[in-house]
Amino acid sequence: MNSDPFVLAGKSYRSRLLVGTGKYKDLDETRAATKASGAEIVTVAVRRLDPKPGEPSLLDALAGYTLLPNTAGCYTADEAIRTARLARELGMTEFVKLEVIGDEITLFPDAEATLAAARVLVKEGFVVLPYTNDDPIMAKKLEDAGCAAVMPLAAPIGSGLGIRNPYNLRMVLDAVKVPVIVDAGVGTASDAAEALELGCHAVLMNTGIAGAKHPVLMAEAMRLGVEAGRKAFLAGRMPRRLHAHASSPEVGLIE
């Protein structure tokens, strides 16, 4: 897949799978699952980092990966902006996965607050990747604000329901020129494959791997699902037909 890199903000990556780091039982499982996923970009919730002197930390376990700090747990634009600035002060990266949650039950994004925060962070030099709904109009506004990608949800965070509205994702793909990264709701490898088959450029997931009975094995399955989906998209699937169409030649048959 090296001849088909995933390009994000001008940098090329081999993997189209981005993974989170929450909900694992310990650092060893986090490290093993992340390795099995083949991911190069790993998200870290800035507000949940609690390094203790002399003890192994999550950041230690993720040495060698491209870190993508996120503003998980923020419910206002101001909170998200402060959290992104904190990540930069900690020396993590200029990249930020921007999350501004609008509701504690659904955990759907607050689209207006996300857009407002994105505009501020882009002006401050951040490379902004916003978690958003599957709305092509909002996706275009986020692109126009200078976001390096858009990250529409497939289904509610942690639900594992898979892609609920593939038609909206297709409209998002038509609306923007920046990468489209499906975020939230992916539950198994077939969900990941479907996202890539639709033409989405990458998938980000956490619970789909960490919440599996065997997270390391699921991480490998997700990697293979993403690779299969991308190859299927590039290959171009056969057309759907209402009726049967013989696979054997219909001419030159011996009578």
Side-chain angles (χ1 to χ4, degrees):
M1 299 296 286
N2 290 343
S3 61
D4 177 41
F6 169 48
V7 180
L8 179 62
K11 185 173 181 180
S12 296
Y13 299 90
R14 296 183 304 277
S15 176
R16 292 176 180 272
L17 175 58
L18 293 70
V19 297
T21 53
K23 302 184 179 180
Y24 291 103
K25 66 180 181 181
D26 54 36
L27 288 180
D28 287 339
E29 186 175 76
T30 304
R31 189 182 296 108
T34 304
K35 182 179 180 180
S37 74
E40 298 166 274
I41 302 174
V42 181
T43 68
V44 178
V46 178
R47 299 181 71 184
R48 297 192 179 105
L49 285 176
D50 186 23
K52 295 180 174 59
E55 294 185 14
S57 72
L58 177 61
L59 295 182
D60 294 331
L62 299 177
Y65 292 94
T66 297
L67 296 183
L68 176 60
N70 70 58
T71 62
C74 294
Y75 284 82
T76 68
D78 287 343
E79 277 186 310
I81 293 166
R82 286 198 302 270
T83 302
R85 289 169 177 165
L86 174 61
R88 185 162 61 184
E89 289 174 6
L90 292 172
M92 294 179 70
T93 176
E94 295 296 319
F95 281 73
V96 61
K97 180 193 172 189
L98 175 61
E99 295 184 31
V100 185
I101 302 300
D103 177 79
E104 292 185 358
I105 297 175
T106 65
L107 299 181
F108 283 163
D110 182 330
E112 292 179 352
T114 300
L115 181 58
R119 286 171 172 157
V120 172
L121 293 173
V122 167
K123 287 181 180 179
E124 293 184 4
F126 285 91
V127 179
V128 180
L129 286 70
Y131 162 65
T132 183
N133 48 31
D134 57 354
D135 174 8
I137 298 171
M138 181 53 64
K140 180 59 178 170
K141 288 181 178 181
L142 289 165
E143 179 186 45
D144 290 344
C147 293
V150 292
M151 306 179 72
L153 54 80
I157 291 174
S159 67
L161 289 173
I163 296 174
R164 296 294 84 200
N165 197 332
Y167 305 102
N168 274 29
L169 288 180
R170 287 175 180 169
M171 287 190 284
V172 170
L173 286 162
D174 288 341
V176 300
K177 294 181 174 61
V178 295
V180 175
I181 305 170
V182 168
D183 182 18
V186 172
T188 191
S190 58
D191 299 334
E194 181 183 5
L196 273 292
E197 288 174 3
L198 287 170
C200 297
H201 301 85
V203 177
L204 189 152
M205 65 185 72
N206 185 180
T207 309
I209 296 175
K213 292 181 180 179
H214 302 287
V216 177
L217 185 59
M218 182 59 81
E220 182 181 1
M222 292 295 193
R223 173 177 61 80
L224 295 172
V226 167
E227 291 177 3
R230 179 62 179 178
K231 289 181 179 180
F233 170 75
L234 294 176
R237 65 156 290 142
M238 63 167 285
R240 290 180 171 88
R241 300 186 178 97
L242 179 61
H243 300 292
H245 186 79
S247 57
S248 299
E250 297 179 354
V251 296
L253 298 178
I254 298 174
E255 295 286 339

